[in-house]
Amino acid sequence: MEPPDNYEIVTFAEKLKASTKEADVFEAYGTLLAYGFSDKIPPCFTYSCAIESQTKEVAKTSEDKKKVCGMIYDPTTGDLLGAAQLQFEGMEGNLSLVSSFRHKCKPKECYLETIVVSEAARGKGIGSKLLKWCDEQALANECKEITLEVLAANKGATALYERKGYVIDPKSDSFVDSFIEAACLGVLFCRCTTTHFMRKSLI
């Protein structure tokens, strides 16, 4: 399903520039991330704590990354429906992670750091529209590939990425790497998890 044509993508930077209340933009994005990644919230966290934490993190986003964060708002209600944050070589990684877990882009690599769609907007083509925008941004920056990480347990997201041309890097699924990652993330987030590293060639 394709979203209506009037569902346009604006960047985080553009939205902040057009808004008279930056705090509301930060909070809307933080709330979207908190609910969109609820499976990653430590059991000891409440949603209000997660929203507050995510809002603080997005407020720290560097200016260059704000320019490559695409957002889709409902033109009628003004609600934030989805967002995708990209990272290119030389840009800082995800500030919500400890530095050792932040991705570092290689030359000609575009990393899809986060993509999230609100529960109410799922199944309406918002995610596909954002992924297409990511492809366009990567090509505009002369990248040869887009990469991302997805929870191995998230079969729906993995299937969507595969339909869009992403493939699982088999090197990311070695027993040793997955075990170490699961152990480390389990300590950090009070739950065990493994991820798939996926890539999509643009050449």
Side-chain angles (χ1 to χ4, degrees), residues 8-28:
E8 298 180 353
I9 295 179
V10 297
T11 67
F12 194 3
E14 291 169 340
K15 185 63 179 179
L16 286 171
K17 185 176 181 179
S19 176
T20 57
K21 295 182 179 180
E22 289 190 352
D24 290 349
V25 179
F26 292 140
E27 184 175 358

Side-chain angles (χ1 to χ4, degrees), residues 130-188:
L130 286 168
L131 286 172
K132 182 180 179 180
W133 177 84
C134 291
D135 286 354
E136 294 169 351
Q137 295 300 307
L139 288 168
N141 282 273
E142 300 182 343
C143 291
K144 294 182 178 180
E145 66 173 359
I146 302 182
T147 60
L148 59 82
E149 289 178 79
V150 60
L151 289 176
N154 193 341
K155 305 297 184 182
T158 301
L160 171 62
Y161 298 140
E162 289 177 329
R163 290 197 300 272
K164 300 301 180 180
Y166 289 84
V167 295
I168 296 174
D169 185 339
K171 297 178 182 179
S172 72
D173 292 325
S174 68
F175 173 78
V176 174
D177 287 346
S178 294
F179 178 80
I180 292 174
E181 184 175 82
C184 292
L185 291 178
V187 170
L188 286 173

Side-chain angles (χ1 to χ4, degrees), residues 97-145:
L97 300 175
V98 294
S99 58
S100 59
F101 280 87
R102 294 174 193 164
H103 186 79
K104 294 180 178 61
C105 285
K106 299 176 181 178
K108 302 297 182 180
E109 175 193 7
C110 171
Y111 179 65
L112 178 48
E113 184 177 290
T114 56
I115 180 168
V116 59
V117 176
S118 70
E119 186 174 355
R122 291 173 188 171
K124 299 180 180 179
I126 300 298
S128 293
K129 188 177 182 73
L130 286 168
L131 286 172
K132 182 180 179 180
W133 177 84
C134 291
D135 286 354
E136 294 169 351
Q137 295 300 307
L139 288 168
N141 282 273
E142 300 182 343
C143 291
K144 294 182 178 180
E145 66 173 359

